[in-house]
Amino acid sequence: MEEIRITGEVESIIYENKENGYTVFSLTTEDDEVTCVGIVPQIHTGETLEIGGKWSIHPVYGRQIQVQYYEKSMPTTKSGMEKYLASGLIRGIGPKTAKKIVERFGEASFYVIEEKPEQLAEIRGLTYEKALQISQIFREQHELRRAMIFLQGFDVSPAYAMRIYKKYKSRTFDIVKTNPYRLADDIWGIGFRMADKMAAEAGIQADDPNRVKAAVKYVLNQAAGNGHCYLPKEELAEQAGQLLGLHPDFVENALRELQVDGEIWQENLRGVTAVYLNFYFYAEMAVAKRLLELSGERTEQSMEKTAREIAAVEKQTGVILAEEQRAAVQEAMSRGVLIVTGGPGTGKTTTINTILRILKKEDVEVVLAAPTGRAAKRMTEATGVEAQTIHRLLETSFLSDDSRRQTFERNEENPIEADVIIIDETSMVDLLLMQSLLRAVAPGTRLIFVGDMDQLPSVGPGNVLKDMIRSQRLPVVRLAHIFRQAQESAIIMNAHRINGGEEPVLNEKGTDFFFLRRTFGEDVVTAIRDLIVKRLPGFTGRDGMQDMQVLTPMRKGLLGVQHLNSVLQQALNPPQEGRKEKEFRQMVFREGDKVMQIKNNYNMAWRVYNAMGKRCDEGAGIFNGDEGRIQSIDEVNETMRVVFDDGKVVDYDFSQLEELELAYAITIHKSQGSEYPVVILPVHSGPPMLMTRNLLYTAITRARELVVLVGLPETISAMVANDREVGRYTGLTERIQNLDDFMREAEE
């Protein structure tokens, strides 16, 4: 649609969100009065605006302009000035006072307010102190207007300009001109590339030290986004040099300055110089120290007593434990820290249930938690004991000015009230969450970590479960025996075959594991759609929307998340009269759609309602990987309500929809900790770094009742053969080992 540019006077403010600057207002031009919407903060009636944007049709407000940029100018006529002052802009000036000021000072009114406030005291009802207060507020508003125009000159959107000004106020101009790279550290959503563009427009040199330091931190942050806790110095210098267009030697000076400033840490690790953002280094040290401290605390309990308790539980349940399960229960009764690891069908849940039954008899306070809402729900169903997310256990709080900054109410001074804490799906726990958890564990509290070390590692930085096991300094029980009932599941047996480097057995009669051969990518897409819409609902009795999940290794391409979601949305939830929808960045959200939260938002408010529709719980925090359904779209208030699988109800402002995406198909990484009745997996083509044994194993173990692979058998073979682990640069294993050695030497 063609871009338009018009000038007019703000007639009225229809709606205003003071936090993010989103405003709906009417603008009077020479020819017409038009409705405008967009990020246009702190405008007031009477102001003159020149705006640029595009026409759109709103179902309630009709034809309106979506504002993409704007310029303000102060009213110059007496009527405009009076309207502006009477708009509520300045506390202490209402319509009557505004009229008196303009009648007294005419077109010089704004000059008097800003430069000669003492003259305002000549007006009846205004004291000298009040006049100074009015002048100060007026100047602040003028400064905001200048800052918004200044930042738009750097192609900064109004939304980001508002965030920048709220952070820096009068320092905005100086910071942007001298070191815009500060914005990448301080402002949520502004990264190195945006700051670098601003710096270039401000005339800052390519080899400016602030630019080089910002690039180093950017590369390290990008690495953290890919799971790394550090980068080898040579790799960091090469990546930063390419980003800057400079020789890697320029990075050396920046590293020295950053270390002096306490922003990074460098040390020799495994024969290379490891460069950390300092908080990841300190997190590794803190996790290692706390694990060893807790592990050193033992509870005296005789093996004979535990053996009698195990026998009593076996008699009660009729389930006989394997030797390794017995060992796990014995260790759990005495160890300060225990890791229980094993693949599907090896009895992790039976082991935990036995531990819980014994602890219940001993009147011990036990708390259960998992990294995600889905995993916590599964844990509750498997144990009959209420489990919660780790974030909920730690009582997430937040600082409203910056959603990146997460804090927890539970910590050393306010620890978790429990004798034993059991964490499931530990492979999903990243380094920083583990640090926060361990901070909140009181001395004497026992910790039991349960997980499959062969699953994909956490989305966040670190490879915590595997590093803890590899250290060989913490008690670990490996469950390897596959129980007879589990052996009847082709899903479980094929998962173990794949994990051991063997080919899965395809299409055995009467099994829960199927393969459909399709030669071309287009045919794979068609087959997946037909399976969900027609074939599998009849075969399994399961609902295509509710019970089936497509998992794919990739985001892009024919068999990537984006394309498959478009196809499956059209098949399962097509456009329909009365079914509202909202288009957002080449994506259409529709009432009834499956959606997923794709970033942690610690201050997103949620509510839970009981069967009677009465609110029974509320809180804040929606996390990366949480899944739900769109219940309703409110076009008048511009909100979208999502009901998540754990019952949380969240109202998203339309400006927050970047945090959601369709979830008919999701990446295998995003499926961690979840379990679905039916999993469908395209196995056709893709980059070798994605098509790995580890990824295939993780996808298959997400299914509870049925797995269907669609594609080429040679791709399955290639994935099984591709056992390269996607390496992560982490130092937790060495931290645990070195600290343990040091503590032992200190004791001798």
Side-chain angles (χ1 to χ4, degrees), residues 301-315 321 326 329-330 333 354 358 362:
Q301 178 151 322
S302 71
M303 294 184 67
E304 291 79 10
K305 181 187 177 189
T306 304
R308 288 195 301 272
E309 290 172 332
I310 292 172
V313 173
E314 288 177 327
K315 185 176 180 181
L321 300 188
R326 291 175 188 276
V329 178
Q330 286 278 5
M333 293 301 112
T354 304
I358 293 173
E362 296 181 359

Side-chain angles (χ1 to χ4, degrees), residues 37-91:
V37 298
I39 306 295
V40 189
Q42 297 198 17
I43 59 168
H44 301 88
T45 54
E47 281 184 314
T48 299
L49 290 187
E50 183 180 357
I51 64 170
K54 294 183 178 180
W55 287 108
S56 66
I57 304 296
H58 190 280
V60 175
Y61 298 118
R63 196 163 178 254
Q64 58 186 25
I65 297 174
Q66 297 281 342
V67 180
Q68 294 170 328
Y69 59 88
Y70 70 96
E71 289 183 13
K72 283 185 185 182
S73 57
M74 296 291 279
T76 54
T77 65
K78 289 182 182 179
S79 63
M81 288 180 172
E82 183 179 331
K83 196 184 291 183
Y84 179 82
L85 292 173
S87 67
L89 160 72
I90 302 171
R91 196 168 55 253

Side-chain angles (χ1 to χ4, degrees), residues 214-224 231 235-237 239-241 243:
V216 168
K217 289 189 287 184
Y218 173 78
V219 171
L220 288 172
N221 274 309
Q222 290 293 103
L231 281 180
E235 193 172 320
L236 170 61
Q239 289 185 35
L243 179 66

Side-chain angles (χ1 to χ4, degrees), residues 409-460:
E409 297 297 326
R410 296 287 180 178
N411 50 40
E412 305 94 327
E413 297 172 1
N414 181 30
I416 299 162
E417 296 171 6
D419 299 304
V420 180
I421 300 171
I422 303 177
I423 304 295
D424 199 11
E425 296 284 0
T426 308
S427 63
M428 297 178 64
V429 180
D430 65 35
L431 178 66
L432 297 182
L433 184 58
M434 181 61 78
Q435 180 191 19
S436 297
L437 172 65
L438 294 174
R439 282 184 64 197
V441 178
T445 297
R446 283 178 275 164
L447 260 177
I448 301 172
F449 296 109
V450 185
D452 182 351
M453 66 178 287
D454 295 316
Q455 294 284 341
L456 290 169
S458 57
V459 174

Side-chain angles (χ1 to χ4, degrees), residues 493-506 513 681 683 688 690-698 700 709 712-725:
M493 297 310 295
N494 277 333
H496 284 279
R497 289 187 186 106
I498 289 165
N499 203 31
E502 299 176 32
E503 297 271 335
V505 177
L506 306 176
F513 193 100
L681 180 69
V683 284
L690 289 178
M691 309 300 280
T692 64
R693 178 191 300 176
N694 188 221
L695 208 71
L696 183 60
Y697 171 75
T698 299
I700 287 168
L709 277 59
L712 298 168
E714 50 265 40
T715 299
I716 298 173
S717 300
M719 291 181 80
V720 172
N722 185 6
D723 67 342
R724 73 175 185 183
E725 189 180 326

Side-chain angles (χ1 to χ4, degrees), residues 612-628:
M612 304 297 291
K614 188 175 180 181
R615 185 183 301 187
C616 58
D617 196 6
E618 61 183 18
I622 298 293
F623 302 102
N624 189 356
D626 288 351
E627 292 182 66

Side-chain angles (χ1 to χ4, degrees), residues 23-51:
T23 310
V24 181
F25 60 98
S26 63
L27 194 73
T28 301
T29 68
E30 289 182 359
D31 308 315
D32 198 4
E33 184 176 324
V34 295
T35 302
C36 307
V37 298
I39 306 295
V40 189
Q42 297 198 17
I43 59 168
H44 301 88
T45 54
E47 281 184 314
T48 299
L49 290 187
E50 183 180 357
I51 64 170

Side-chain angles (χ1 to χ4, degrees), residues 287-307:
V287 167
K289 179 174 180 288
R290 196 76 188 104
L291 282 171
L292 290 169
E293 287 173 346
L294 292 167
S295 182
E297 299 177 4
R298 296 179 66 97
T299 303
E300 294 301 325
Q301 178 151 322
S302 71
M303 294 184 67
E304 291 79 10
K305 181 187 177 189
T306 304

